[in-house]
Each structure stands twice: as structure tokens, then as C-alpha cells.
Amino acid sequence: MPASTPPPIEYDPRFEILEEYEGDTQAELLDVLHGIADTTFRDSGKPLRSVHAKSHGLLKAELRVAPGLPRTLAQGLFAQPGSYPVVLRLSTTPGDVLADSVSTPRGLAVKVLGVRGERLPGSEHDSTQDFVLVNATTFLNAGPKAFLGGLKMLAATTDKAPALKRTLSAALRKAEGLLERGGTDSAALKAIGGHPATHPLGDTYYSQTPILYGPYMAKVALAPVAVGLTQLHGEPLDVKGTPNALRQAVCDYFAQQGGEWELRVQLCTNIEEMPIEDAAAEWPESVSPYVPVARLVAPPQAGWTEALSAAIDEGLSFTPWHGLAAHRPLGSVNRVRKAAYEMSARLRARRRGAPTVEPASLDELPFGP
């Protein structure tokens, strides 16, 4: 870490505070997510995720933990240098499968295979570590109640009026563009359809909410560093008349070249400025910058196939609660999302008549040679 950065503070259970009626909020959250899944299953016949239903890239990669990390960074998965196989899933946030002209925030789920160490409850028999990332630094909602309110709005429009959504999204993108030209932006506009129609491989993706980092607390980011990827930052995509424009862009890129990202962590150095329980709070990089701890390297490959979609979109689940005890998710939003991820995986497994699995090897997935 830079010499001027204060040392990280250690986790204390007092930093985590239950939101009022958090259990009731969680129960209602599960009902809303179940309702979204019921709607999309009834209309499509497919057991889709309640959020991040549509994938745009399904990739294999290798995580290379850097040697010589200082003690504060050499924690958990990153305690020793080494290499791990990885599955990547690029997606967008809605629970229904929309044309890409409805432009919403993007997600990148990372599943690291072959990870050893003390496990989180519920993943004791697995050997994976998941990081669930979105291309915005903070969560849209500060806590579970606000999260539930936003999700109810999303549920009310699931699988309804796709043509109207496309028209609205185009108008919202124009409004967002005007804000950005003025030097600001709106997370709310992006979330409901105003996200810029840009290449998803040029974005940096963030955990938004904190996790344990050994005895410390941190947020995680995955930033492109390969020249081919960095050149795509802000690169416009024509999404008109091309329902799967994002997927095609990912496939076109990986058909020609590979990609490389840095996995970075931002350690909490000041609990007042970097709170655990406000998921919408920006952790200032002026106080504690993101620091690289590993590289993620993906070779040229297909990028997305129907076979991979059947195996990964339908057969795998991604949750930060798959992992090491040293990286336990923190805060109220993560607490209520734990039950949501578990419910969603069980529901999809029951409807497809096959269990979700945690792969031990990339050989279990149809990536091809």
C-alpha cells in the first residue's frame, strides 16, 4: 500500500448493526424475489435468476495471486502466491431477459476454483470463492428496507411492456448523457434503463459492499489492464435492432484476443468515513486506494455458447457466501442477500430438476479446448 495510507483497522462485531425489523424485511424480500422468478418462469418456461437473469459472457480464466504481498494484503485467498482456475459470468441486472436496447447496469460474477481453508457456513463441502461485482462503486440502496423498495418497483415491471421499456431506456440514456457531459451522473437513472450503451469489457467492476479480509475489512474491484480491454472503456455500442449486442461484443473480442484484469482491494482505514452498514456510502479512495493483489487472465475463447449457458446460467449459482471464512460478507445488505441467494438457487434447481453444483474443475464445464 502507498506509504501515506493509514494502516487498516481490524474488524469489530460492533461495526455491524441490525437494521430495525431486518428479519421481517428479509422475509418480504424473499417473497418479492420468488414472485419475480414465478413471473419469468410462467412466461418463459425457464428457471431464471430473480436478478441478473441474462448473461452476456461466460468465460474461463486463471487467477494469479501476486507474490510478496505485505501482511495486511496477504490474507485469505491471497495469503500465498498461486494460480487458480476461474469461471466468469457477465450479466445485466433485471430478472427478465430483455433486449440490450434496455440498457441497465452490468454485473461480473467471479468463481475461483480449488480454494482451501476454513469455510463459510453452508459452503463447508465446497472449494470455491465467489466475488459478485457490479460496474458501480456503491450499492444503489443504503440498507435492506430501501433495497426492498427498489426491488418491488422492479418486480412490478418484470416481463411487462418490453417495447415501452426500450423507448424509456433510450430517453433515460439521453438524460444520463446530459448529466455526464455536465460532470455528474445518476445511479438511479442508470439502474432503471439509462445506463450508457457502452462495451461491457471496458468497465471496472466492484463488490459495492464490504467483506472480511482476514482480520480487516475491504471492498473488492476488478479493473481491466490489458490494452485491448482498456481501449474499450466508454466505447459506444449500437444496441438498436440487436437484442444481444453485449453478448456479441464479448464474443467478437474473445474470438480475437484474451483479456487481463487486476483484482484490487480497498482496505478500511477509518470506520467513520468507510462505514460497514451503509451500502450506498462511497469509501473515499483518497483515504484508502484500491491496491492490486492478483491478476485475472483469460485466453481467447468462444465467449458465450448455448452449452455454457445451460451449464453455468442454469447449473451454477454465484454468491459471496460461497467462500472462505476469511472473506465473510459484511453488513445488513449482505446478510439479507444470503437468504435470497440460497432461495433463488433452490428454486431454480427444483424447476430444472437438477441440483446447482460447485465445480471442482473447469473440466466439469463445456468450455472446449
Side-chain angles (χ1 to χ4, degrees):
M1 297 183 64
S4 59
T5 302
I9 59 176
E10 294 194 358
Y11 169 77
D12 188 309
R14 293 176 298 176
F15 297 154
E16 292 192 89
I17 303 168
L18 287 174
E19 186 179 76
E20 187 178 19
Y21 306 117
E22 188 172 303
D24 293 341
T25 302
Q26 176 178 284
E28 193 171 354
L29 183 71
L30 295 183
D31 287 342
V32 174
L33 289 168
H34 201 300
I36 293 174
D38 288 346
T39 298
T40 56
F41 185 65
R42 182 183 63 243
D43 293 352
S44 71
K46 296 181 179 180
L48 301 174
R49 287 169 165 79
S50 299
V51 291
H52 290 274
K54 185 177 183 180
S55 67
H56 305 286
L58 300 169
L59 305 164
K60 63 180 178 181
E62 181 182 43
L63 182 73
R64 300 172 182 171
V65 177
L69 292 174
R71 182 185 61 84
T72 53
L73 296 174
Q75 301 291 336
L77 172 60
F78 311 98
Q80 301 290 336
S83 297
Y84 301 88
V86 171
V87 178
L88 300 176
R89 182 180 187 265
L90 281 151
S91 62
T92 37
T93 53
D96 43 353
V97 176
L98 301 169
D100 291 347
S101 52
V102 182
S103 190
T104 58
R106 293 84 181 272
L108 179 55
V110 180
K111 187 179 291 290
V112 186
L113 281 56
V115 177
R116 304 298 175 188
E118 182 185 353
R119 306 286 303 175
L120 288 165
S123 71
E124 294 91 345
H125 304 295
D126 304 323
S127 58
T128 53
Q129 173 68 55
D130 290 1
F131 298 103
V132 178
L133 314 173
V134 179
N135 66 333
T137 55
T138 61
F139 202 66
L140 185 60
N141 310 113
K145 286 181 183 177
F147 179 30
L148 175 61
L151 198 63
K152 285 180 176 179
M153 294 176 59
L154 179 67
T157 65
T158 298
D159 269 15
K160 293 180 180 177
L164 178 60
K165 287 179 181 177
R166 291 193 292 271
T167 302
L168 177 61
S169 183
L172 292 172
R173 285 198 301 273
K174 288 182 181 179
E176 174 63 22
L178 290 173
L179 286 177
E180 293 185 3
R181 283 194 287 276
T184 185
D185 63 4
S186 168
L189 283 182
K190 291 179 181 179
I192 61 174
H195 193 285
T198 53
H199 203 298
L201 293 176
D203 291 339
T204 296
Y205 292 82
Y206 301 87
S207 66
Q208 299 187 318
T209 56
I211 62 171
L212 280 180
Y213 197 79
Y216 310 114
M217 301 160 286
K219 292 185 179 183
V220 177
L222 194 67
V225 292
V227 173
L229 295 178
T230 58
Q231 290 177 338
L232 296 176
H233 179 66
E235 182 72 17
L237 277 184
D238 184 2
V239 295
K240 294 180 181 177
T242 309
N244 298 317
L246 300 185
R247 183 180 299 164
Q248 189 59 55
V250 173
C251 291
D252 289 347
Y253 177 89
F254 277 98
Q256 301 295 324
Q257 58 188 310
E260 190 166 342
W261 298 259
E262 277 186 348
L263 195 150
R264 301 168 179 170
V265 298
Q266 182 188 30
L267 293 172
C268 179
T269 59
N270 184 315
I271 198 62
E272 284 75 29
E273 294 190 79
M274 308 171 79
I276 298 302
E277 289 295 355
D278 184 354
E282 188 93 34
W283 283 17
E285 291 192 55
S286 59
V287 175
S288 178
Y290 280 92
V291 181
V293 294
R295 287 261 172 156
L296 193 66
V297 181
Q301 56 193 288
W304 191 99
T305 67
E306 292 287 354
L308 283 170
S309 181
I312 297 173
D313 290 339
E314 298 181 20
L316 301 188
S317 64
F318 294 85
T319 163
W321 292 93
H322 286 156
L324 298 175
H327 299 311
R328 177 174 65 83
L330 299 173
S332 56
V333 166
N334 277 325
R335 289 194 296 272
V336 300
R337 287 200 299 180
K338 182 178 189 294
Y341 283 119
E342 292 170 347
M343 182 275 292
S344 178
R346 287 195 304 269
L347 183 61
R348 289 189 294 114
R350 187 172 76 245
R351 285 175 169 167
R352 67 188 291 265
T356 54
V357 297
E358 286 300 290
S361 166
L362 291 181
D363 293 339
E364 299 175 27
L365 301 167
F367 279 110

